[in-house]
Amino acid sequence: MIAASALTLRQQVALLSGSDAWNTQPLPEAGVPSCALSDGPHGLRFQADAGDHLGVGGSEPSTCFPTAVTVASSWDEELAEQIGHALAGEARALGVDVVLGPGLNIKRHPLCGRNFEYFSEDPLLSGRLAAAMVNGLQGHGVGACLKHFAVNNQESHRFVVDAIVDERTLRELYLSGFEHAVKTSRPWTVMAAYNLVNGHPATQHHRLLTSILRDEWGFDGLVMSDWAATNDRVAAVAAGMDLEMPGSQGLFDRDVLKAVASGRLPAALVTASAQRVLDLVARSASTQSPTASAAGVTEIAAGPAASAAGTAGAEATAGAAGTAGAEATAGAEATAGAEGAVIPVEEHDALARRAAAAGTVLLTNDGILPLAVTTKVALIGAFAEQPRYQGSGSSLVNPTRITTARQEFRRRGIEVVYAPGYDPSGSQADPELIAEAVAAARSVDVVVVLAGLPPVYESEGFDRTDLGLPGQHDELITAVCAANPRTVVALSNGAPVLMPWKEAPAAILESYLGGQAGGAALVDVLYGDAEPGGRLAETFPASLEDVASEPYFPGEPRQVQYREGLSVGYRHHTTAGIAPLFPFGHGLSYTTFDWADVQGDHHAVTLTVTNTGARAGSDVVQVYRHDRTGVVARPRRELVAFAKVHLEAGQSKSVAIVVPERAFAFYDVVARDWLTPAGEFDLEIARSSTDIVTTVTVTISDGVTSAAETADTPPIAVTDEQFRRRLRRTLPRPRSVRPFTRDSTLDEVAATRLGRLFKAALWRAAPIDEATRNNPAELAMYEHSLAELPLRAAAIFSAGKLRWPTIDLLLRLFNGIGGRRG
Ligand code: BGC
């Protein structure tokens, strides 16, 4: 491939913006092909024709694996790698070079609308699972994209909000998962987030993108923007952001050329970024095979784009599937889409099914599970027919098939009494549906209730407003449990929920969002054909007040203050001594495990794990560090290592768990380095963040004895002064709304009459079809996204229709004659 330095400056600059929504810019005259990108992360959302970034347009069928929250609950790096491998096979079949994932932002608050797409509240678990997925993808020739870098922990105001976070919290919590994944799996690409971090847009953040990512961590790949996250491309190139996505049809090219001509932007930086685009193209070209066989692809299954599949799509596909194992594959008989579009439907569906069970968390069980096949069962809940199996937004996959729980019962020849119990997209209780469910519950031995969050409750583009399930789900569960206490509740949701009825059912399964085979996996788990292999990768708080970031989330439109510091999830609960609804790391099993011969030092913990029950099963050994040195303020307990162990009945394994050096270190903001305190530490070997089995004490003698943040620093900076001290600077004032700028959102300019007209015009021009109009989740996402869209992003998304002169003229009007309120 040609070197960037052999291209003209114009060609180099052209390379730094995509050609459309999903491809990099080809330069045919220089023999440079384009490179195809596609969402991600739990399946491909490959759009062969026109593209959109919000999941409202259709896409080619591809396997819908469980979403990240479910995969994370497996704590199984091997499984994450296998999913990455399978995704790579599908990507190659569809001609995709880079999959836009995994997403590994920290679940700072349980209400973040996109938590289903992220792994954990813990950076170690997030980083290790993300690295495994990257290895799976890239080991099979398809690039990964770690996203969203960085501190993108909410959907509210995501395009413009400035995350104010102190350096230590940034390093220890929000960056360390990325750091681990970058260093150990060497991703081809990283995506710079929409938001600002401490005053600078993430896409223009030299410290994040160059000093930390490249210089400190050794990242040698390409940084692309999130879709339309670019503010100022000159500043972005200078900061180390290489590729603007989607292509903006030259919107910024002149600025970049002018900046180079005036010497404001060194030409060498443009050449370096262009070279990274060329490197990515070359990497893709060298691994992309012309036929799918190289990726182990055997079955032709995918067809042309079907409609986007949320719950409604599920209904359509599953409805067509009929009974007894005759699940339809989307367009199986149709001819191929892009590049032959061949994917191994059966094999990947089986993997998705296994992954869904592996990520299912058995929260409580009085012994009712697993069920005997002879038990007479009532299946209650419309999710049994219209499953909630993935989240809305850019990650939305058009599945190759869907197996519902009801279909799986039928396939097994098990007759159930079925009652829908609720309207799957509504929230008001329907007394008749509940009465029917109660009658069904009374007529059987065991009841299985499927409940959870409808799609409109959690999505990209907006945050949840409370922790509750829809009222009708709570009412149904309470009524059914009263009628028949031998009830199993199986939940489908992408983030923690409250369970005011927690003590009533005989068992609770957290199925999360199980992907296309989630229904089948649930039945596997109910009957013990698969074990519920999950442990929570997040805390289920007992109430919102117990979430330390609650008073500061999601903050103001232009600023969110991370005053809770490290007090996120179990770090806060264990430090403050608050009992959660269910703790991080918790999950029961169908078998029992014994841990013996536990030994440890500061390099490793070893133990023998024995499966003492009668079934095969898996255990997760968790190692937490408790710093007893008193040198620095720290959360009571932090996960520093873990191992997933699979054991046959009666089998024993000796397990050696490496304790990384970083396990003891904290980030010292004065030394600007990771330091280890001198003194005693406990390594707590545990089944969950509240269930410590054994403690090993280790002593570190050559550590430091003082730190910038002393042990009496309050964990949460409640007062301005405390926050100022932690930030080591004065509190920044949020940017004022007026005068309007290119960064103003459509809702902000809609304070003017002209702005309102402009917003309405954009709404009319939006590609919203009948299907979207009838899909409350998609519609809500679109409304939120449009309201919060800055003018600069509207210009990028317009693909050349809205250019700066028009935007600037409008701004003059909004600020001037059109600027009068009313
Ligand atoms: C999302 C990204 C996604 C991109 C392309 C953005 O809105 O934040 O995660 O990869 O769109 O669809």
Side-chain angles (χ1 to χ4, degrees), residues 285-336:
S286 71
T287 53
Q288 187 67 253
S289 71
T291 66
S293 57
V297 172
T298 52
E299 181 182 346
I300 296 185
S307 66
T311 305
E315 196 185 358
T317 316
T323 54
E327 297 87 1
T329 54
E333 73 294 348
T335 49

Side-chain angles (χ1 to χ4, degrees), residues 21-22 38-41 45 47 52-55 100-101 114 117-118 145 147-148 152 155 158-159 191 194 224-228 246 393-395 460 785 797:
W22 303 117
S38 172
D39 282 310
R45 193 170 68 87
Q47 300 186 306
D52 72 274
H53 79 299
L54 286 176
L100 302 174
R114 225 172 160 179
E117 237 186 289
Y118 301 140
C145 179
K147 67 187 188 183
H148 309 90
N152 182 174
E155 290 302 282
R158 63 174 170 160
F159 302 119
M191 185 185 289
Y194 283 125
M224 70 181 82
S225 70
D226 198 343
W227 266 231
S394 60
S395 68
E460 178 177 343
S785 298
F797 279 137

Side-chain angles (χ1 to χ4, degrees), residues 205-493:
H205 213 295
H206 187 272
R207 239 187 109 240
L208 279 178
L209 301 184
T210 296
S211 313
I212 295 179
L213 183 64
R214 292 188 196 284
D215 299 347
E216 259 185 54
W217 300 349
F219 175 66
D220 60 0
L222 169 141
V223 176
M224 70 181 82
S225 70
D226 198 343
W227 266 231
T230 308
N231 286 247
D232 166 346
R233 210 163 101 219
V234 174
V237 174
M241 192 202 82
D242 307 304
L243 175 65
E244 173 204 22
M245 287 302 295
S248 64
Q249 308 304 317
L251 195 65
F252 295 98
D253 287 8
R254 242 182 39 176
D255 296 349
V256 180
L257 290 168
K258 267 168 57 184
V260 172
S262 70
R264 201 156 59 85
L265 180 68
L269 290 183
V270 174
T271 308
S273 284
Q275 187 59 52
R276 290 189 199 112
V277 177
L278 292 177
D279 291 346
L280 181 68
V281 172
R283 246 171 171 174
S284 310
S286 71
T287 53
Q288 187 67 253
S289 71
T291 66
S293 57
V297 172
T298 52
E299 181 182 346
I300 296 185
S307 66
T311 305
E315 196 185 358
T317 316
T323 54
E327 297 87 1
T329 54
E333 73 294 348
T335 49
E339 302 228 346
V342 278
I343 55 173
V345 171
E346 291 298 334
E347 189 188 321
H348 288 184
D349 188 64
L351 174 60
R353 181 172 179 163
R354 192 156 61 76
T360 298
V361 186
L362 182 60
L363 293 175
T364 64
N365 185 18
D366 72 357
I368 191 173
L369 290 178
L371 302 176
V373 272
T374 48
T375 316
K376 189 164 180 221
V377 172
L379 181 61
I380 290 175
F383 284 176
E385 290 199 306
Q386 290 163 266
R388 175 84 208 292
Y389 62 98
Q390 64 172 332
S392 297
S394 60
S395 68
L396 194 89
V397 173
N398 174 18
T400 58
R401 68 163 58 155
I402 295 163
T403 310
T404 68
R406 198 162 182 207
Q407 285 170 336
E408 180 57 22
F409 274 107
R410 283 204 194 113
R411 196 195 61 77
R412 289 167 176 250
I414 301 175
E415 289 229 359
V416 295
V417 182
Y418 172 70
Y422 53 81
D423 162 5
S425 47
S427 58
Q428 289 301 316
D430 181 329
E432 271 180 36
L433 288 180
I434 293 184
E436 184 197 359
V438 164
R442 289 212 174 101
S443 70
V444 294
D445 302 327
V446 166
V447 188
V448 177
V449 179
L450 272 58
L453 295 175
V456 75
Y457 276 65
E458 50 185 349
S459 165
E460 178 177 343
F462 56 93
D463 295 315
R464 285 158 75 202
T465 50
D466 67 77
L467 275 179
L469 288 173
Q472 57 168 352
H473 289 229
D474 282 336
E475 277 186 43
L476 175 73
I477 293 168
T478 306
V480 165
C481 289
N484 188 343
R486 288 184 54 78
T487 291
V488 177
V489 174
L491 294 171
S492 298
N493 43 288

